[in-house]
Amino acid sequence: MPPIRVVVTKPEYVKAEAVFQAAPDMDVRVSDWPEEAVAATVREHGAFAAILGVERYSGALYEALPKGGILARFGVGHDGVDKPRATARGLLVANTPGVLEDAVAEHAIALILGVAKNLNAFALSMRAGQWAPRLGFELRGRTLGIVGCGGIGRRLARFAGAFGMTVLGADPAAADPAALQRDWGFAEIHADYRAILGRVDILSLHVPANEHTRHLVNADLLAALRPTAVLVNTARGPVVDEAAVYDALTSGRLGFAALDVFETEPYVPAAPGKDLRTLPNVLLTPHVSSSSVEACQRMAHASLDNVRRAHSGTYGAVSLLNPDVLAVLGQR
Ligand code: GLV
């Protein structure tokens, strides 16, 4: 069997180079961004598959891959891939659920602890030669609100439980709230996130970016939180109205924001004069919550598996995000 020709975007390749190099059944070519360059590399290489990061693909790539080919996300979030467009072109779209939950939940805990223990302020003041102690707070007895109780939200609930936090979950799609309470340590599960807002010390977001979640965290939601509350976002930037968060942080209506994801990445302030990086009550990381060595290796393996299964027509085993494509491919 000739190797399967695959194009991998450079940042993803670099995150798990050894895995990509060690795939004997793959002929891997690395591509720079932007989308036109990825599409050109796909064409040159005659690629069947493109393994992609979080960037937005809205044009040339869909025309470059062959019918039956695959857009394979290296990761879970798929807001950057246009599923209807892929379906119309007969392209599969897949992601890698189940391999990065621990990495992201650990990062959320790291952000929460970073805020609780003033790590950002101490790192800066020590570096500046100052000795500037101040009080932190403990997690035990605090209430954590988790919006989105899927794989990552559940892991976070369990970790938070180990710190002695009370965890309130909100998820309109939670099929079995009793199981979430029994198996993952949620104290309560609500269909409507508004039920938990006024009761939490920390609110952590674990929902995808889509038309229902865009600016879910807006001025109204922020007004319903306690003024000392900490907002944590390791989900997707567009879920949060960053200008509203800036206003809340600077007017004493929000205590702290710990953000790993942004409306524009690399970060650009959402409005002139509202640069979150200038504020003392923020802790910011550059969209790295799933970027542990281990999770990246698992994402590489899982995305390559999706490619293999698509190539062999074993569609039922692909983590497929656009099942309608099977009808286009004459499989249903
Ligand atoms: C990371 O942000 C992912 O969607 O996997």
Side-chain angles (χ1 to χ4, degrees):
M1 274 278 271
I4 308 170
R5 294 183 190 187
V6 183
V7 167
V8 183
T9 47
K10 198 172 198 168
E12 285 57 52
Y13 182 79
V14 168
K15 284 178 191 174
E17 188 168 358
V19 176
F20 288 118
Q21 278 185 355
D25 54 341
M26 301 278 166
D27 179 355
V28 173
R29 178 105 31 115
V30 183
S31 178
D32 283 318
W33 175 255
E35 179 175 357
E36 289 68 31
V38 181
T41 312
V42 164
R43 281 209 172 86
E44 273 163 37
H45 193 39
F48 166 79
I51 296 182
L52 309 169
V54 294
E55 287 76 16
R56 188 154 293 280
Y57 290 86
S58 55
L61 185 58
Y62 302 85
E63 311 307 315
L65 285 161
K67 186 172 179 186
I70 178 168
L71 295 150
R73 270 285 290 118
F74 179 103
V76 283
H78 48 89
D79 43 303
V81 181
D82 184 337
K83 273 78 65 190
R85 188 165 184 167
T87 302
R89 286 275 305 140
L91 299 171
L92 285 81
V93 182
N95 69 348
T96 63
V99 299
L100 48 67
E101 283 74 0
D102 281 329
V104 179
E106 283 184 11
H107 197 80
I109 286 287
L111 292 174
I112 292 168
L113 283 170
V115 173
K117 309 301 169 192
N118 298 307
L119 296 188
N120 204 19
F122 293 151
L124 290 171
S125 58
M126 290 296 281
R127 192 173 289 272
Q130 295 155 7
W131 189 260
R134 65 162 109 147
L135 299 182
F137 66 84
E138 294 176 10
L139 301 191
R140 179 167 302 283
R142 302 273 167 174
T143 300
L144 170 66
I146 294 182
V147 181
C149 302
I152 298 168
R154 291 169 198 196
R155 291 301 196 296
L156 178 59
R158 185 172 283 167
F159 293 162
F163 283 100
M165 303 184 85
T166 299
V167 185
L168 308 181
D171 193 334
D176 189 350
L180 285 175
Q181 291 176 249
R182 185 187 62 234
D183 299 338
W184 297 92
F186 288 92
E188 298 171 19
I189 298 287
H190 296 267
D192 189 339
Y193 61 86
R194 282 169 291 211
I196 66 172
L197 297 179
R199 299 167 58 202
V200 302
D201 299 299
I202 299 163
L203 187 73
S204 191
L205 307 173
H206 301 283
V207 292
N210 56 39
E211 67 278 17
H212 306 295
T213 60
R214 185 177 155 70
H215 285 188
L216 179 114
V217 175
N218 55 20
D220 288 344
L221 182 148
L222 293 166
L225 291 174
R226 297 173 179 168
T228 50
V230 177
L231 173 69
V232 178
N233 189 10
T234 55
R236 275 294 182 270
V239 176
V240 169
D241 178 346
E242 284 169 10
V245 167
Y246 182 97
D247 291 341
L249 287 168
T250 50
S251 62
R253 281 180 286 112
L254 178 66
F256 217 102
L259 310 175
D260 181 54
V261 287
F262 301 91
E263 293 196 72
T264 304
E265 295 180 358
Y267 176 71
V268 176
K274 296 195 176 176
D275 188 336
L276 290 165
R277 295 168 299 189
T278 63
L279 301 181
N281 45 352
V282 298
L283 175 53
L284 309 176
T285 54
H287 199 150
V288 288
S289 71
S290 64
S291 293
S292 66
V293 172
E294 298 84 351
C296 287
Q297 289 178 354
R298 292 191 295 260
M299 287 189 276
H301 282 298
S303 52
L304 289 170
D305 282 344
N306 280 328
V307 171
R308 278 184 193 105
R309 290 162 182 163
H311 194 257
S312 63
T314 323
Y315 297 130
V318 175
S319 294
L320 196 57
L321 297 164
N322 60 336
D324 292 354
V325 75
L326 297 181
V328 178
L329 295 174
Q331 296 295 315
R332 262 205 330 224

